[in-house]
Each structure stands twice: as C-alpha cells, then as structure tokens.
Amino acid sequence: MTGDTGDETTDRETGRRRYLDRRQFMMATGALAGVGVLSGNVGGRTTQDEGDLESEYPGLRIISEEPENAEAAARATYESYITPREEHYIRNHYPTPDIDPEEWTVSLTGMVDEEVEVSVDEIRRDYSTETVTHTMQCSGNGRSYFDPQVGGNQWTFGAVGNTVWTGTPVGEVLEAYGADTQEGTWLSVMGGEAPEGEDIFTRSIPMEKVLEDCLLAYEMNGSPMNDDHGYPVRLLVPGWYGNNNVKWVDRMHVMDRMVFGEEWETEDQRLYTHWQQYSYRLTPIDEETEQFERIDAFDVRDQMESSDIRHPYVYDQLVKSLIGYPGAGATVEPGPGGSVEVIGVAWAGDDEVDAIEVSTDGGDSWSEAEFFGPVDAPYSWRQFRYVWDAEPGSHTLYSRATDANGRTQPATVSDPDAQLVSIEDDQFPWNQGGYCNNAYEPHGVEVTVEAAGDGEAETETAATTTSS
Ligand SMILES: Nc1nc2c(c(=O)[nH]1)N[C@H]1C(S)=C(S)[C@@H](COP(=O)(O)O)O[C@H]1N2
Ligand SMILES: [Mo]
C-alpha cells in the first residue's frame, strides 16, 4: 500500500520550499494571519496565469490540472489553525467554470410561494451576513491508504483545511420567498458547472441542517472567494464532508425528499441523482448501493450503526486527527531539554472533539495530548500539542482523537472481504468509493530523532506517510 507521493520534480520542490520559507517568515512577522495574501488574489480569476494551479497554489500537490484537484503538499499545513487559500485543497469533478458574477443568478424552485432568480447582489446585500470557521474535508481524503486500492483521486492526508467562510444564511433567502421548510423537507442544491451531457453536481440537504447553520458563502478567509472554491457563491454546510458544500450554486429546489428516482433522471443518465444517491455512499465490496427517498440520521457514524441504512450517505464527518509537526520522514533534533513538541489538529464534524492521544512507539502506548488555540468555533478543528521526550532513533508517531460521543478513531482499514458496515474491532470499513477513512495508522508519520549536536536537522522533504 502506498501513501508515498515523493515523486515530485526538483523544480516543484524548490518552488514549494521557497513558498514554505516565505510563509514561515510571514508567520513570524505576523503578516500572514491566515488570510490569502501571498498571491494577490481577488475575486474570480487571480492576477496570475490562468489555469496555472502550481503557481496559484504553491502549497498544494497537484493531482490533476483539469479538472482541478490538489491537496496540501506538506504536513506543515496542519501546524496552523487557519489554512491559507494557497494550501487549501481543491476538489472538482468538472473544470472550474468562468462565471460573470453580474449575470449569475441562483434559481429558487419547488415548494416555494414564488419561483425566482436571485442575483448574487441580492444574496450579498439583502440579508444578514454570518461567518463560520469550518473544517472541510473531502470524503475521499485518505483513500490512497485503502488496500486493495479503489479508483478515484489518490488523496493522502491533505484534502482537508480549516477556513473562515462568510455569507448569507440560506434560511433567510428561503423565508423571503415563502419556502416550505417544515420538518422532513429537503433542499437540493445544484452546481452550475457540469459540461453538456454530464451529471449535475447535486446534493440534497435536510432542511433542519439548512435552517440551523448553512450559508450561501462568498468570502473565504476574509477575502473574496476565488473561482476554484466556488465563486461567486457556494453552499457551506458546517461540519459536514466537503461533497455537501456545493460550489457555483445555480439552483436550490425545495422538496419533500432527496433527489430520488426517475423524476430526477433521464433515460440514459442519472442526471441529478448520481452524486447524491450513487456516489458518496459507503458500500461494501460486491454490494449494490440502495437508494432512499429520505433518511433521518445524518452523522456518518450514526448511519453506520443504524439498521435501516446499510450504505451510509456521506454527510456529517467522523472524528479524525492529523500530525502537522514533525512531518513525515522528518529528521528532528530535540530541544535543549531533550523534547520535541508534536503539533497537530483534530476535528469531529458538527460534534466536538473531546480527547486527543499521541503514540510515539507505533501504537504500543498512548499519552494524552493537550488542546490549545481557538475554542469558540464548533465546526472547526482543535489544535493539539504533545511534549515528547524523544530518544534518538526512528519512531512511528500516531494521533488518535475521540469525539464527544466517545467515538475514537480506529487503527486500520478493514479487509474488503470482511464486508464491514461500521467501525468494529478497531477497523474502518473498507468501501467501494474509498470514503471517510479515519484510521490512524495509515495517517501516522515516521520520524528520525537525532542525538543532540548531531548536526543540521532537516525538515520534511516529501509528503511521505507510513503505510499500514
Ligand atoms: N458544483 C460542485 N460543487 C462541489 C464539487 C464539484 O465538483 N462541483 N466538489 C465537491 C467536493 S467532493 C468537495 S470535497 C468540495 C471541495 O471544495 P474546495 O474545492 O473548495 O476545497 O466541493 C464540493 N462541491
Ligand atoms: Mo470531496
């Protein structure tokens, strides 16, 4: 099994290093308060070359240029509370569209008093403005650690970021046009970028979540959102996996169920149902995914444990954590007291993370680490630190978080033949799509500790991780 991504070219390595050095400098001087200040981005296309992902996002490892898919290249991204735009992963099924915000509208249809086209200007100016810090993770993050591997982008650890999103509460727009938002209704939100003949990126969100905290967002980290992240307007579903956060919102349809069945399909295409009903489901090997009109549990773990839903829908995130320092493959020299400070992040979707433990001996023993950093953002990750009395030699480091429901990250991903549908015996259920991997072993880091005075310690050179 491979988590290794150390095949980058030297040029790219140099470019990234320059960026990371610069970033470190700006952190030190306080110039980079988590805001995308490095590349002069404004709304829409940036001031740099169009389509040149590498120069626009120097903190990312590019998986594909078209459609744009890229993840954080270095563990260092997980040393900080806020993820700068230059390091926030991008996940696109189709190429980023070129949108004129003056012309763009969001259609509101279905169970409403009045079907309308809402302009971007109206969304920005006619309703209240709210901000949420949200740890957004692609449900495919960690997919490359599945054995046997499954198809799709081979994300390692880097398809997650913590950013500040600003926009309009969706509920206010729905209310303005008399939408039926009673219990049991759903809002299906559609992206506007699908090329002719492709399935429209559609997600059905239960109305109770929509009204609770969903936004039509247009700013990221205090700057106008840029095109790759959904400009001019995206849905923000705090705490839930990235796939629910529909970019380039084109239409919102109020319904009494999810997009389901022939009404939402054409003869030869799952036009609106594909991304809701077939993709983004946790299905064991050799099973066909079962479709539902409605479900009433949204936390992925709750669904895993429900006897009604055998193939969970990818909604609210599972508990997970990542070590940011030391990075994978790093050689570190302990400080004067002989210790190394292990730093990382832990999150649990719309639940809280309750505890975080670190192992420095490959999981034989565990110690409680401590949380630090901002506390007042319920959908945001928490930072953690652990002061490690580090002996010279090589060590395998793991982190393992537990959420407020007492659910802990499992150790490994199961064998497909086990056909698990929930987390059992410390194993995450292998599934056909490679979704929601929160097992801690494949996300660990291999670290070498030098004896004090052994010379220059190097930092991470590639996004390598241990395999399991
Ligand atoms: N319209 C549209 N919205 C989309 C997608 C897409 O392909 N099209 N990808 C989704 C997925 S799978 C993820 S993980 C997030 C990624 O958001 P980001 O690119 O801003 O990180 O957007 C979601 N929203
Ligand atoms: Mo995703």
Side-chain angles (χ1 to χ4, degrees):
M1 182 172 0
T2 68
D4 292 2
T5 55
D7 55 355
E8 292 154 281
T9 66
T10 316
D11 275 3
R12 170 125 183 80
E13 188 55 44
T14 313
R16 197 174 84 218
R17 172 125 353 252
R18 214 179 299 123
Y19 164 75
L20 291 172
D21 288 349
R22 174 120 194 271
R23 176 173 183 270
Q24 217 152 32
F25 168 77
M26 296 188 87
M27 283 289 186
T29 58
L32 181 61
V35 178
V37 294
L38 292 183
S39 55
N41 288 336
V42 292
R45 274 294 167 200
T46 67
T47 50
Q48 301 196 344
D49 294 348
E50 284 202 14
D52 186 352
L53 276 190
E54 209 165 299
S55 62
E56 194 170 344
Y57 304 99
L60 298 182
R61 174 179 82 91
I62 313 298
I63 294 179
S64 66
E65 286 274 350
E66 218 186 278
E68 298 82 348
N69 284 293
E71 68 174 343
R75 288 281 178 152
T77 293
Y78 307 105
E79 286 181 59
S80 303
Y81 181 65
I82 294 294
T83 309
R85 176 161 58 201
E86 290 76 10
E87 295 170 35
H88 192 285
Y89 80 95
I90 300 166
R91 201 284 174 256
N92 276 2
H93 291 286
Y94 313 118
T96 292
D98 197 3
I99 291 174
D100 176 355
E102 306 281 320
E103 302 280 308
W104 193 256
T105 57
V106 176
S107 335
L108 179 60
T109 56
M111 294 156 55
V112 289
D113 281 347
E114 191 193 341
E115 294 201 336
V116 285
E117 297 286 332
V118 186
S119 69
V120 172
D121 221 45
E122 173 178 335
I123 291 167
R124 297 176 68 106
R125 304 194 200 295
D126 292 4
Y127 307 95
S128 51
T129 303
E130 295 204 359
T131 290
V132 63
T133 307
H134 163 59
T135 298
M136 185 158 71
Q137 180 187 203
C138 180
S139 45
N141 199 26
R143 171 185 291 146
S144 65
Y145 309 131
F146 270 43
D147 183 12
Q149 289 214 335
V150 300
N153 290 318
Q154 295 302 307
W155 306 105
T156 62
F157 58 84
V160 56
N162 190 51
T163 40
V164 177
W165 300 89
T166 298
T168 296
V170 182
E172 289 189 18
V173 180
L174 297 181
E175 195 188 336
Y177 294 101
D180 185 345
T181 57
Q182 66 186 303
E183 217 193 308
T185 55
W186 295 75
L187 187 68
S188 294
V189 179
M190 297 139 189
E193 89 286 16
E196 196 65 39
E198 298 286 352
D199 297 327
I200 292 164
F201 193 86
T202 305
R203 294 295 298 172
S204 296
I205 310 295
M207 197 60 80
E208 58 183 273
K209 178 65 176 171
V210 172
L211 298 184
E212 195 179 312
D213 52 23
C214 291
L215 300 180
L216 285 168
Y218 46 81
E219 282 192 4
M220 180 185 187
N221 284 346
S223 296
M225 186 190 298
N226 71 332
D227 54 358
D228 294 319
H229 293 295
Y231 179 84
V233 61
R234 87 176 297 170
L235 181 68
L236 225 275
V237 186
W240 289 20
Y241 282 101
N243 56 295
N244 298 290
N245 297 255
V246 178
K247 304 194 270 190
W248 316 292
V249 173
D250 176 48
R251 180 177 169 198
M252 303 193 295
H253 189 81
V254 182
M255 330 170 48
D256 64 358
R257 71 199 76 180
M258 306 183 194
V259 284
F260 171 89
E262 285 170 16
E263 190 188 338
W264 293 96
E265 297 172 354
T266 60
E267 216 162 274
D268 47 5
Q269 232 182 315
R270 296 166 178 167
L271 189 60
Y272 290 96
T273 60
H274 178 76
W275 300 108
Q276 174 65 29
Q277 295 283 6
Y278 297 86
S279 189
Y280 301 118
R281 303 289 304 278
L282 272 60
T283 307
I285 200 162
D286 296 334
E287 286 187 25
E288 225 166 271
T289 311
E290 187 188 356
Q291 282 71 47
F292 290 85
E293 289 194 6
R294 1 182 131 71
I295 57 169
D296 56 11
F298 309 114
D299 184 290
V300 168
R301 186 68 184 267
D302 288 345
Q303 293 179 64
M304 283 176 166
E305 275 160 24
S306 119
S307 48
D308 303 332
I309 309 160
R310 185 165 170 85
H311 310 133
Y313 289 78
V314 173
Y315 283 137
D316 181 31
Q317 296 183 69
L318 298 172
V319 63
K320 192 165 172 179
S321 62
L322 283 174
I323 291 172
Y325 183 85
T331 299
V332 293
E333 196 180 327
S339 65
V340 171
E341 189 181 45
V342 178
I343 302 276
V345 292
W347 67 98
D350 65 17
D351 301 308
E352 268 179 54
V353 270
D354 227 32
I356 175 79
E357 299 160 281
V358 167
S359 172
T360 56
D361 56 10
D364 290 341
S365 65
W366 293 88
S367 305
E368 192 88 7
E370 63 177 318
F371 290 116
F372 70 98
V375 292
D376 53 357
Y379 306 116
S380 149
W381 62 33
R382 295 296 318 275
Q383 293 174 279
F384 69 82
R385 70 190 283 270
Y386 172 67
V387 179
W388 173 31
D389 285 324
E391 299 288 329
S394 70
H395 306 269
T396 301
L397 272 55
Y398 297 142
S399 65
R400 173 172 84 176
T402 300
D403 70 17
N405 299 312
R407 293 161 169 174
T408 301
Q409 291 180 248
T412 57
V413 179
S414 77
D415 192 279
D417 297 333
Q419 289 191 303
L420 293 189
V421 291
S422 189
I423 295 173
E424 263 175 60
D425 301 328
D426 231 9
Q427 291 179 34
F428 178 83
W430 186 100
N431 59 81
Q432 295 179 27
Y435 296 124
C436 304
N437 182 3
N438 73 338
Y440 63 76
E441 280 189 11
H443 290 91
V445 290
E446 218 64 72
V447 174
T448 304
V449 176
E450 287 199 327
D454 251 16
E456 281 284 288
E458 308 152 29
T459 48
E460 171 178 36
T461 51
T464 53
T465 62
T466 60
S467 48
S468 69

